[in-house]
Amino acid sequence: MPKGAKAWVCIIGIFLDLINNHSWSHPQLCKIPTTLDGPFVPFTAPFDPSLRGKTVDLPDTDPRVQRRVKGFEPEQISVTLSATYDSVWISWITGESQIGYNVKPLDPKTVSSIVRYGQLRFPLTHEARGYSLVYNQFYPFEGLQNYTSGIIHHVRLTGLKPSTLYYYRCGDTSIPAMSDIFFFKTMPVSAPQNYPGRIAIVGDLGLTYNTTTTVSHLNSNKPDLILLIGDVTYANLYLTNGTSADCYTCSFPDTPIHETYQPRWDYWGRFMQNLVSKVPTNGGGREP
Ligand SMILES: *[C@@H]1O[C@H](CO)[C@@H](O)[C@H](O)[C@H]1NC(C)=O
Ligand SMILES: *[C@@H]1O[C@H](CO)[C@@H](O)[C@H](O)[C@H]1NC(C)=O
Ligand SMILES: *[C@@H]1O[C@H](CO)[C@@H](O)[C@H](O)[C@H]1NC(C)=O
Ligand SMILES: [Fe+2]
């Protein structure tokens, strides 16, 4: 093995869901190297084809993907980086998404977008307000079900200090429907010797039992920042009636359009809240 190979195997073991392996990535057995330990000789882990096609998605009956809040209480809470250390976005969802034959979009104006935050848990001295929206996936084809999301809220916090812990809660203070108190740490001032020490990079997460292993590795390694580099829930492997296949076009060659099952996004947001409500991400985007 070339110098540095072990380090890369370790990183790959932690961050790629296809090759999760406790013996590589357990914190006691594997010190995560920093860029200061480098430079490393590039190393490519050989692809193990036996790992392909064996993943199983969490079903909609799994408690980790089910809606646990009542009424218009916030869920799917996340922190997303903004342009510089002094600003982040807090996002969440209120109300229930719907999928079916006669869905009626919620009015985003019915629930406010408010974040209370500060450096102390009590009292949360600052307040910021943002905006909300819903999105629809309406198919003009007989037999396909339509989806309309819960109310999606985004609030930008500004004027934050670098490398500082902030507490926050979000929701609507008038209903009242406010979340529990969460916390996150801002990024350091960006400079050649000053950057987040632990950056987790992960792609193709999905929402399988193996994803749960990957995400618990991410969590236990306490990253300062998570970069979601693309491919998130794989809702595009599902029909609108919730039936899935490993290969959509092989199993469903006759659908009038490539369907997706948008509730998978809600499942993902619920499953990820524990991590992404405290560690900022780059957002990742809502592809299929
Ligand atoms: C879905 O929405 C489209 C556009 O409004 C409509 O034409 C279609 O009939 C709807 N389908 C169902 C199943 O409700
Ligand atoms: C993925 O999850 C399955 C089911 O939980 C498990 O049997 C398998 O060992 C996991 N694969 C890897 C590579 O960890
Ligand atoms: C979903 O639709 C597919 C294709 O029409 C069909 O084969 C399958 O039985 C349906 N599943 C359910 C649960 O309705
Ligand atoms: Fe992918």
Side-chain angles (χ1 to χ4, degrees):
M1 259 189 184
K3 183 180 174 293
K6 190 162 179 297
W8 281 105
V9 168
C10 171
I11 291 172
I12 290 163
I14 289 162
F15 297 131
L16 281 189
D17 45 331
L18 284 176
I19 48 174
N20 282 322
N21 181 319
H22 280 281
S23 64
W24 288 345
S25 51
H26 195 275
Q28 267 85 56
L29 300 175
C30 170
K31 176 186 171 288
I32 306 232
T34 76
T35 50
L36 300 176
D37 299 325
F40 303 111
V41 179
F43 172 74
T44 305
F47 175 63
D48 178 353
S50 73
L51 296 173
R52 206 165 234 294
K54 302 244 170 69
T55 55
V56 179
D57 279 358
L58 296 190
D60 52 13
T61 51
D62 192 295
R64 292 170 287 187
V65 308
Q66 287 176 345
R67 190 169 185 269
R68 286 184 300 271
V69 299
K70 295 197 192 69
F72 287 102
E73 289 167 4
E75 60 154 349
Q76 307 184 45
I77 298 164
S78 64
V79 186
T80 308
L81 288 190
S82 185
T84 59
Y85 68 80
D86 63 357
S87 154
V88 302
W89 289 92
I90 306 293
S91 304
W92 68 96
I93 291 185
T94 60
E96 294 197 50
S97 64
Q98 306 155 58
I99 186 156
Y101 294 99
N102 270 309
V103 302
K104 197 167 171 293
L106 296 168
D107 178 359
K109 288 194 289 289
T110 52
V111 185
S112 317
S113 310
I114 298 173
V115 176
R116 295 231 162 115
Y117 65 101
Q119 284 172 254
L120 295 176
R121 194 181 273 270
F122 299 107
L124 294 171
T125 48
H126 293 65
E127 182 175 297
R129 284 167 186 265
Y131 68 96
S132 59
L133 67 149
V134 301
Y135 80 93
N136 304 314
Q137 186 182 69
F138 288 168
Y139 289 111
F141 298 102
E142 188 88 20
L144 273 56
Q145 298 180 37
N146 286 340
Y147 172 90
T148 182
S149 71
I151 303 173
I152 303 172
H153 303 262
H154 298 297
V155 175
R156 189 169 174 225
L157 313 187
T158 55
L160 306 175
K161 295 177 180 156
S163 305
T164 301
L165 191 72
Y166 282 90
Y167 295 93
Y168 72 98
R169 64 199 304 213
C170 59
D172 185 328
T173 47
S174 71
I175 291 179
M178 291 297 280
S179 71
D180 292 339
I181 297 177
F182 295 88
F183 58 84
F184 66 91
K185 199 173 157 198
T186 52
M187 293 296 108
V189 179
S190 187
Q193 294 299 318
N194 208 23
Y195 43 81
R198 284 168 176 261
I199 303 175
I201 302 171
V202 64
D204 304 301
L205 258 181
L207 187 54
T208 71
Y209 288 98
N210 301 109
T211 308
T212 67
T213 313
T214 305
V215 170
S216 79
H217 290 165
L218 281 175
N219 217 343
S220 61
N221 280 294
K222 305 203 179 311
D224 301 306
L225 165 66
I226 299 171
L227 298 181
L228 299 170
I229 58 172
D231 278 7
V232 186
T233 65
Y234 294 90
N236 59 335
L237 296 179
Y238 284 78
L239 300 177
T240 59
N241 71 7
T243 304
S244 75
D246 284 343
C247 169
Y248 183 99
T249 46
C250 317
S251 300
F252 313 124
D254 299 327
T255 53
I257 190 173
H258 194 125
E259 301 174 34
T260 74
Y261 187 66
Q262 292 297 302
R264 296 297 303 175
W265 279 105
D266 294 304
Y267 302 168
W268 197 83
R270 289 171 194 144
F271 178 73
M272 292 298 284
Q273 173 177 297
N274 179 40
L275 182 62
V276 299
S277 61
K278 69 183 176 207
V279 184
T281 79
N282 62 323
R286 256 204 171 197
E287 346 88 89

